Amino acid sequence: MTSDKNPPSATLPEIEIQWRDVCARLRGEVGDTAWQSWLKPMAVKIFEGGRVRFSVPTRFMRDWVLDNYADRIAKMWRELNPAVLGLDVLVQAERSAAPADGPRPGLGAGSSAAANATVARAAAAAHSLSAPLDPRNTFDAFVVGKPNEFAWAAAKRVAEATKAPPFNPLFLYGGVGLGKTHLMHAIAWYIRTHQPKRNVLYMSAEKFMYRFIRALREQNTVDFKEQFRSVDVLMIDDVQFIAGKDSTQEEFFHTFNALVDQGRQIVISADKSPSDLEGMEERLISRLNCGLVADIHATTYELRLGILESKAEQLGGAVPHKVLEFLAHRITSNVRELEGALNRVIAQSQLVGREISLETAQDYLKDLLRANDRRVTIEDIQKRVAAHFNVRLADMFSERRSRSVARPRQIAMYLAKQLTQRSLPEIGRKFGGRDHTTVMHAVRKVEELRTQDQAFAEDVDMLRRMLEG
Ligand code: ADP
Ligand code: MG
């Protein structure tokens, strides 16, 4: 306690000085952005009956301050001056002379007509804030397969929930073009159709940042925050974008917490898992990890074929199945490219008025196929094999010896020997520093299995063809 130097006293000017003191300490604790947004606008009004009364410009701020900072402020203050027992916050509009909203001692204050109007305005603003949704990105149009069934099921659960969020947040992650945005749009469409009263806001993280920075510049962060206040379901796409962008992250963190605390659903997507996102703050990562984390794996041949069949049907083009199989084999990067290839084949054949065949498809896609034909690396092989067998990439290097991971690892070593110029010791090193004899053993084992098991041999050959492009 600093009471010797600064004896507890409680006239209003002294209270104001103490507030500055508390505020300065809090600034160190919560960071500049939060301080700017929440603490700085708080104005001391009266000190009465052991309670300090503050005014803030909006209900949103009042609620936020009470929910997030009031306890901390009171505790700090008591250390400085035991005469301060607690605080109240009331709303006082900055510009207009409208009557002030009463202080809110806890959650759940009654709503006035003016407050309802504010909420309605904010809801409308949130709606217009939402990025447009692609009408093609629905659940019906999403082809489910092993690599995406978990993420799909989770997305469905979130979309169908009518009460509390089944998990919060839902965190979807996976490589480019694997369907993250599609699933988010699908959730949004579903809710807009089935529960039109719920306010769904879908936005890219980039847009979120852009908006936030603009609000900072125009000094209306209050409006910015207000817009999120009325959102029932907040979806932020490609959140990796804000990694390393500290003030945006901070803002996002607060928005996130406030909405979660109010039982609103949050859905996030990223290209990596929360823990793998570099430049993300620890506390945000742990928040993101709190809900359900669902990854979308690289596509398998079966899924690619399924997607092509479904798209070909939608497009109404007569595409021979052989051509679809060919595309599923050769275009393995992601679904977006796969779609692009199919579109091109159909468009070109219509243009020149020729029926689609394997030859014409190959001809139309020459450049695309060549791009997929680049030299195979050990990393490619590991990725492809891991995805094919649905094991983690890390298991290519790990010590684990269970058959379910050891066999794919052996196949990858075998393919590395077949498809690259690397020596056995070099291959061993790339597989978690294994000895060259281990690689040799793997190669022999796979050769042996190939002769004994026809299905196994076909599987390996297919992988090989896919890798060779
Ligand atoms: P991401 O956001 O993960 O980068 P998108 O959701 O934008 O990927 O998907 C890329 C394209 O592939 C979109 O046109 C999407 O509709 C399509 N797509 C991805 N996965 C599927 C799927 N399982 N079924 C149907 N279309 C899909
Ligand atoms: Mg996307």
Side-chain angles (χ1 to χ4, degrees), residues 9 76 104 111 179 191 240 260 317 379 385 426 451:
S9 54
M76 255 189 194
R104 197 206 72 170
S111 62
I191 296 176
Q240 72 274 2
V260 168
E379 288 75 20
V385 172
E426 278 176 312
T451 61

Side-chain angles (χ1 to χ4, degrees), residues 245-263:
K245 317 240 169 38
D246 291 343
S247 60
T248 306
Q249 239 185 87
E250 170 102 22
E251 184 58 33
F252 176 66
F253 181 72
H254 289 301
T255 306
F256 182 99
N257 284 342
L259 291 173
V260 168
D261 291 347
Q262 289 164 29

Side-chain angles (χ1 to χ4, degrees), residues 23-326:
C23 206
R25 288 201 215 174
L26 273 170
R27 184 178 186 164
E29 241 178 55
V30 304
D32 272 351
T33 314
W35 176 81
Q36 277 277 353
S37 314
W38 307 112
L39 303 170
K40 195 167 163 236
M42 294 173 68
V44 174
K45 286 287 157 186
I46 347 175
F47 179 66
E48 212 175 55
R51 299 185 74 81
V52 184
R53 180 172 293 179
F54 288 94
S55 76
V56 293
T58 64
R59 291 168 67 88
F60 183 49
M61 289 189 68
R62 178 193 66 190
D63 294 349
W64 198 303
V65 166
L66 284 169
D67 294 344
N68 295 285
Y69 301 114
D71 291 347
R72 185 77 193 111
I73 293 173
K75 184 160 177 288
M76 255 189 194
W77 211 322
R78 271 198 302 277
E79 286 169 11
L80 205 65
N81 180 357
V84 173
L85 304 174
L87 51 119
D88 298 310
V89 181
L90 63 85
V91 182
Q92 196 162 56
E94 267 171 326
R95 289 173 288 266
S96 76
D101 205 351
R104 197 206 72 170
L107 277 166
S111 62
S112 65
N116 281 339
T118 310
V119 170
R121 246 195 337 269
H127 197 85
S128 67
L129 209 60
S130 192
L133 303 170
D134 187 329
R136 289 167 302 184
N137 289 346
T138 59
F139 279 119
D140 284 342
F142 192 81
V143 179
V144 186
K146 245 205 159 88
N148 61 24
E149 66 187 357
F150 183 56
W152 167 80
K156 270 284 233 214
R157 276 285 293 282
V158 163
E160 285 164 2
T162 50
K163 294 196 186 76
F167 15 75
N168 220 355
L170 168 60
F171 189 101
L172 299 170
Y173 78 92
V176 244
L178 296 182
K180 302 181 294 293
T181 298
H182 189 134
L183 280 179
M184 288 179 119
H185 285 194
I187 294 173
W189 283 125
Y190 192 94
I191 296 176
R192 284 189 183 168
T193 319
H194 292 82
Q195 302 176 63
K197 285 220 173 73
R198 291 180 82 193
N199 195 350
V200 182
L201 174 53
Y202 165 86
M203 192 190 263
S204 67
E206 185 177 4
K207 184 86 165 283
F208 180 89
M209 178 171 109
Y210 170 77
R211 293 273 180 166
F212 173 58
I213 288 174
R214 199 175 64 182
L216 281 179
R217 202 170 48 227
E218 292 168 0
Q219 298 190 318
N220 60 359
T221 48
V222 172
D223 290 352
F224 175 81
K225 289 162 208 299
E226 203 95 20
Q227 288 171 330
F228 290 94
R229 164 82 165 155
S230 61
V231 169
D232 296 302
V233 183
L234 175 66
M235 302 204 241
I236 303 284
D237 205 350
D238 290 320
V239 82
Q240 72 274 2
F241 189 84
I242 63 165
K245 317 240 169 38
D246 291 343
S247 60
T248 306
Q249 239 185 87
E250 170 102 22
E251 184 58 33
F252 176 66
F253 181 72
H254 289 301
T255 306
F256 182 99
N257 284 342
L259 291 173
V260 168
D261 291 347
Q262 289 164 29
R264 315 295 170 84
Q265 175 75 57
I266 300 201
V267 183
I268 310 266
S269 87
D271 63 353
K272 297 190 194 65
S273 75
S275 318
D276 286 341
L277 285 171
E278 275 165 38
M280 276 290 184
E281 265 188 71
E282 221 30 72
R283 56 181 186 159
L284 184 51
I285 292 176
S286 74
R287 266 297 199 164
L288 294 174
N289 267 322
C290 267
L292 185 78
V293 177
D295 58 342
I296 307 185
H297 296 271
T299 57
T300 55
Y301 172 75
E302 288 72 29
L303 179 60
R304 288 195 296 276
L305 190 59
I307 291 172
L308 286 169
E309 284 166 351
S310 144
K311 306 265 173 193
E313 198 184 304
Q314 281 165 34
L315 293 168
V319 187
H321 206 258
K322 270 257 163 300
V323 172
L324 300 182
E325 285 168 24
F326 168 74

